[in-house]
Amino acid sequence: MDSLNSLLDGFGTALTPMNLLWAAIGVLLGTAIGVLPGIGPAMAVALLLPVTYGLDPTGAFIMFAGIYYGAMFGGSTTSILLNTPGESAAVVAAIEGNPMAKAGRGAQALAAAAIGHFAGGMIGTTLLVALAPTVASLAIGIGAPDYFAIMVLAFIAVTSVLGASRVRGLASLLIGLTIGLVGLDQMTGQQRLTFGSLQLADGVDVVIVAVGLFAIGEALWVAAHLRRTTGEPIPVGRPWLGRSDLRRTWKPWLRGPLIGFPFGAIPAGGAEIPTFLSYVTEKRLSRHRAQFGKGAIEGVAGPESAASASAAGTLVSMLTLGLPTTAVAAVMLAAFQQYGIQPGPLLFEREPELVWGLIASLFVGMVLLLALNLPLAPVWAKLLRIPRPYLYAGILFFAAVGAYAVGGESLDLVILLIIGLIGFGMRRYGLPVLPAVIGVILGPAAEQQLRRALQISDGSVTGLVNTPFSVTVYAIVALILAWPLVYRLVVVRRRGDREEGGKTGAVSGG
């Protein structure tokens, strides 16, 4: 009841005219910025930090929350329509959303994403209100072996369900892990794969990798085939979800938050792992598995709902523990410190108006985001009516601007082109792109957690499996790896029994 009363007080703060205005501005700015490849919510919040010096802390954080959610949906928009994720959390949306757009169902994919964000955000924020203290206490007990096990699960899951074969999925993952090695060793400070360049000492930014593999690689692939095709504009399609679409999406919308919220809440979480796992889950549970990879709407609805719920979960560890689990949370933590506020267990007691006003504004922001983007889905989808030579020329321009904006270095443009050529080669030889992006995102963190776990256990491998949580996760990994073999044995045995039964029946009938 205390949480409910505090939330009602928070709505009193969030629904004041000025705070409503900041929420609306945040959602609009976030959506517009998210549409630009490479300029994600973290960069948007960082760029707007100086602008908010004159605002009161509550209004500033309400606007930041609107930017966060708006940019996540904006990134999904370009991911679905142009196969160009605006940020890493939108990578999975391209797998099924872009084939839907190419089939003339871009508006339906955007509508599924918008409603998924709304459902995930609402459920995630409700869980934030109800479970924040419990989740925070659980997160404290998770150690390096558990983090590493989670990341191994993400690697195995994504290489097992994507691409024409597991070998190609693994090859793509190794490409990503290799790119993730570039830079300084986090433990020893030694340079790795920098070729003597000081500019590569900080590594290759994941935004450049995602934009290069998806946007540049896709643009080069299309350019290579435009000579053989007429390059006609892609039809937009009707701007609503039919009954069959709703039947296929309502369960993924509800399942997504159950995956996204816990992963967002634990340190080293974020939206990347849960979106991947949500996609894997929906593919396993779907009755339309044959459509996956060709435009299955469940593959858009579930991950987008998980991503939005993960954003709400991110605020749990940031507000209650002062631990940022994503780049956006890190920037918002810096903003808290800018105002002389220290997030942690005492924050709810010292700054109740700010905290509960921020949480209430998440509900308000979700409604504003849905009201803004659901009617605009057909408008965004009309981007596909632009002739492809002009469309992909624009993608190359904005991709280059986004990559340059990351570090302001001309070398970033060279790296973008090289990674784009790698993306083109991966498409040419049938390697899925997503495992490579996962390797870049999670590879360095997985290495760090592995080495920490081994240091704690004095180099003993048993230190990786010394907790019930890690043992459970590795059991799931073993099940994923063994399932195809078990499935084949069961199917072959059943077929053999059927054939033998058929022969016996034929002999007895004769």
Side-chain angles (χ1 to χ4, degrees), residues 442-456:
L442 299 182
E447 179 194 10
Q448 189 175 20
Q449 299 298 342
L450 171 64
R451 293 167 77 172
R452 281 179 181 172
L454 292 176
Q455 281 182 340
I456 293 170

Side-chain angles (χ1 to χ4, degrees), residues 211-481:
V211 171
L213 289 178
F214 280 93
I216 306 298
E218 178 76 7
L220 293 176
W221 179 253
V222 170
H225 292 78
L226 274 178
R227 291 173 297 175
R228 306 176 194 172
T229 60
T230 57
E232 292 294 325
I234 300 170
V236 173
R238 52 188 175 81
W240 62 81
L241 293 176
R243 289 185 179 179
S244 62
D245 291 331
L246 290 173
R247 280 196 297 269
R248 292 175 59 177
T249 51
W250 72 270
K251 288 182 180 179
W253 285 332
L254 297 179
R255 277 193 292 260
L258 301 180
I259 300 173
F261 181 82
F263 276 94
I266 62 173
E272 291 84 7
I273 297 177
T275 51
F276 303 143
L277 294 182
S278 175
Y279 179 81
V280 173
T281 302
E282 296 309 326
K283 184 172 182 179
R284 295 289 185 191
L285 297 178
S286 176
R287 297 179 180 177
H288 307 87
R289 290 189 192 178
Q291 293 185 18
F292 274 77
K294 303 174 184 177
I297 196 168
E298 300 96 324
V300 176
E304 292 299 283
S305 180
S308 191
S310 175
T314 296
L315 295 177
V316 173
S317 54
M318 190 192 73
L319 295 175
T320 60
L321 301 175
L323 294 176
T325 62
T326 64
V328 178
V331 176
M332 290 182 71
L333 183 62
F336 271 106
Q337 294 170 347
Q338 166 189 302
Y339 286 103
I341 301 169
Q342 183 58 49
L346 299 178
L347 181 64
F348 283 77
E349 296 178 12
R350 293 175 178 173
E351 301 285 347
E353 182 180 351
L354 185 152
V355 173
W356 290 105
L358 173 62
I359 292 173
S361 74
L362 299 179
F363 290 102
V364 177
M366 285 292 103
V367 175
L368 290 174
L369 189 64
L370 186 67
L372 173 69
N373 285 299
L374 201 55
L376 287 178
V379 178
W380 290 121
K382 285 183 181 177
L383 285 171
L384 296 172
R385 304 196 66 133
I386 302 172
R388 282 196 287 176
Y390 304 110
L391 179 63
Y392 283 96
I395 291 174
L396 287 173
F397 172 77
F398 283 113
V401 169
Y404 187 76
V406 170
E409 298 285 349
S410 56
L411 180 64
D412 290 339
L413 297 177
V414 178
I415 295 172
L416 180 73
L417 178 60
I418 293 172
I419 293 177
L421 291 172
I422 293 174
F424 174 78
M426 292 173 71
R427 286 169 172 79
R428 169 66 180 80
Y429 293 103
L431 271 65
V433 176
L434 184 58
V437 179
I438 296 180
V440 176
I441 294 171
L442 299 182
E447 179 194 10
Q448 189 175 20
Q449 299 298 342
L450 171 64
R451 293 167 77 172
R452 281 179 181 172
L454 292 176
Q455 281 182 340
I456 293 170
S457 63
D458 292 328
S460 174
V461 180
T462 57
L464 299 177
V465 289
N466 60 0
T467 65
F469 185 88
S470 61
V471 171
T472 303
V473 173
Y474 285 125
I476 296 172
V477 169
L479 182 63
I480 293 174
L481 291 174

